Amino acid sequence: MLLLGIESSCDETAAAIVTEDRKILSNVIYSQISEHEAFSGVVPEVASRAHLEKIDFVVEKAFSDAGIVPADLDAVAATCGPGLIGGVIVGATFAKAVAFSLDIPFLAINHIEAHALCVRLTENVDFPYLLLLASGGHCQICLVSDFDDFEVLGKTLDDSVGESFDKVAKMMSLGYPGGPIVEKMSRNGDPMAFDFPRPLCQKKSLDFSFSGLKTAVRITLEKLEKQKKNFDDSESLDKKNHANVCASFQRAVEDVLSYKMDAAIVLCKARNIPLNAVVISGGVAANKAIRGKMQRICYGHRLRFCAPPIPLCTDNAAMIAWNGLEKLRTQPGDPLNFQPRPRWPLGKKF
Ligand code: KG4
Ligand code: ZN
């Protein structure tokens, strides 16, 4: 069985062809970073137009890279939410047109669920597993008991973790997206240079909060800016300070995520849930230091740690196609009048 997946919920226009036996025949991603870089964040209207301009080219390339023609397809899946609605409409409508013209099933995919299931495309992971979903739009801990059964155990009360990486990078004018840049800069900095807060780590709740951490970074940068006035070589001081801020921020995030995941594992054990693995997914799961910390926690609890390969952590269409294949095992497809939506909680059908 061959599936076309389409992703267009944020700033990547992506298409992929995936087989039932987990072969990724093609995985095309057109990143809009250059269009949004000047604004240090995604501009929804710019994103929608860019999706519209690129979608034909990206889908055609997915076919040619895979060496197949549209008539070979068995079904088509597209992100129908949550996300920036203009972009979601572009991808969903394109996919519906493909499904209608070929008379094959259309599958409406929840973008967060696709991140949550992506690990099963590359690893043999059975349900149930504990998931940390850490992306630009979300930060949640969930128990994944089936392809459509998600229990949210904790979530962010304000910013997502990826968003906080992006905002911290923006404060230092380091570029966009902030996560990979902050991770790289932090390798040259001292993680103990600044004692940033670890919000909500004294509480039993599995919820997160990143806005206080972000404010602490801003206040520190303002203080450093004042100190700089008495210093001749301010450029090299900036570099050193920024590396130290990145390293200290990165360490604070690692500590918060580790604390919460450790607590979530303890909770699952107390509830006698037979976890098969602990999984991290979403753009922030590309962060090697965070992956390393999660691996150590799992080792301590004698649990298997899994994460998608780094290129499949950030937005891609292979995970959308895979989620379509998971759904197709038990259902025929979604109606062509399925409404794309900007908000769509995990596990909710409509
Ligand atoms: O999953 P994703 O591609 O898009 C959403 O669904 O939101 O996640 C994008 C987010 C951005 O905030 C980006 O800064 C962050 O993932 N990110 C990282 C890294 N790579 C991407 N954060 C920390 N370290 C990274 N290496
Ligand atoms: Zn995503």
Side-chain angles (χ1 to χ4, degrees):
M1 188 174 276
L2 280 179
L3 235 93
L4 166 67
I6 295 180
E7 157 59 34
S8 60
S9 65
C10 191
D11 58 346
E12 272 98 10
T13 318
I17 311 279
V18 176
T19 69
E20 198 178 10
D21 53 351
R22 306 197 302 191
K23 287 197 184 71
I24 302 173
L25 300 186
S26 61
N27 189 21
V28 182
I29 302 177
Y30 170 76
S31 165
Q32 302 175 358
I33 286 178
S34 58
E35 270 125 304
H36 302 289
E37 222 165 13
F39 308 97
S40 301
V42 181
V43 184
E45 184 57 27
V46 173
S48 315
R49 285 166 195 245
H51 286 303
L52 203 52
E53 270 166 29
K54 288 290 183 297
I55 189 122
D56 301 30
F57 161 79
V58 167
V59 173
E60 268 177 20
K61 185 155 169 36
F63 281 119
S64 62
D65 285 2
I68 66 157
V69 293
D72 296 328
L73 285 180
D74 292 291
V76 52
T79 299
C80 283
L84 301 174
I85 194 64
V88 173
I89 289 172
V90 172
T93 309
F94 195 98
K96 287 175 182 180
V98 172
F100 181 72
S101 62
L102 297 171
D103 195 20
I104 55 175
F106 160 75
L107 295 127
I109 303 298
N110 178 316
H111 178 88
I112 334 173
E113 292 178 12
H115 274 303
L117 298 170
C118 179
V119 71
R120 284 165 51 83
L121 170 57
T122 52
E123 305 257 0
N124 293 318
V125 186
D126 287 332
F127 302 116
Y129 55 84
L130 184 67
L131 170 80
L132 170 62
L133 194 124
S135 72
H138 303 273
C139 187
Q140 311 186 327
I141 298 176
C142 318
L143 180 64
V144 185
S145 298
D146 207 334
F147 79 94
D148 60 351
D149 184 353
F150 305 87
E151 184 188 351
V152 178
L153 303 175
K155 59 182 182 324
T156 183
L157 304 177
D158 40 57
D159 292 347
S160 78
V161 58
E163 201 178 353
S164 66
F165 269 100
D166 295 337
K167 285 181 179 167
V168 163
K170 186 175 180 179
M171 286 178 211
M172 292 178 272
S173 306
L174 297 178
Y176 174 83
I181 303 170
V182 170
E183 181 185 15
K184 196 165 166 220
M185 294 263 310
S186 65
R187 289 191 199 122
N188 301 318
D190 175 7
M192 315 287 264
F194 304 105
D195 186 18
F196 291 138
R198 272 70 171 156
L200 298 188
C201 282
Q202 304 75 22
K203 300 210 169 161
K204 277 201 172 152
S205 139
L206 295 180
D207 288 338
F208 301 91
S209 167
F210 292 103
S211 70
L213 174 56
K214 183 187 65 189
T215 306
V217 171
R218 187 174 46 73
I219 292 168
T220 300
L221 285 168
E222 283 165 6
K223 278 190 198 148
L224 291 170
E225 194 59 30
K226 280 187 196 142
Q227 288 167 10
K228 215 172 72 179
K229 288 194 180 112
N230 314 317
F231 198 81
D232 293 338
D233 187 2
S234 65
E235 204 175 304
S236 74
L237 183 66
D238 257 351
K239 244 188 180 165
K240 186 167 160 262
N241 282 340
H242 287 174
N244 284 341
V245 168
C246 287
S248 303
F249 169 78
Q250 159 90 35
R251 179 59 61 83
V253 172
E254 284 167 27
D255 286 351
V256 171
L257 298 180
S258 306
Y259 179 91
K260 297 287 176 181
M261 283 308 275
D262 189 71
I265 293 170
V266 171
L267 176 77
C268 289
K269 283 188 173 171
R271 284 172 56 183
N272 287 323
I273 295 163
L275 289 179
N276 285 302
V278 174
V279 173
I280 173 166
S281 192
V284 180
N287 189 296
K288 292 202 184 84
I290 292 173
R291 288 166 89 101
K293 278 269 170 78
M294 291 299 145
Q295 191 143 28
R296 259 169 276 156
I297 288 174
C298 291
Y299 185 77
H301 284 283
R302 300 192 186 287
L303 280 167
R304 179 178 169 206
F305 169 76
C306 296
I310 285 178
L312 294 184
C313 286
T314 42
D315 288 351
N316 65 86
M319 68 180 190
I320 305 301
W322 175 249
N323 196 157
L325 281 157
E326 295 248 29
K327 274 180 94 170
L328 262 185
R329 282 192 208 116
T330 55
Q331 66 187 67
D334 290 299
L336 288 180
N337 64 359
F338 187 98
Q339 295 260 344
R341 55 210 59 192
R343 287 191 188 80
W344 187 0
L346 272 178
K348 287 250 158 45
K349 300 230 163 17
F350 295 104

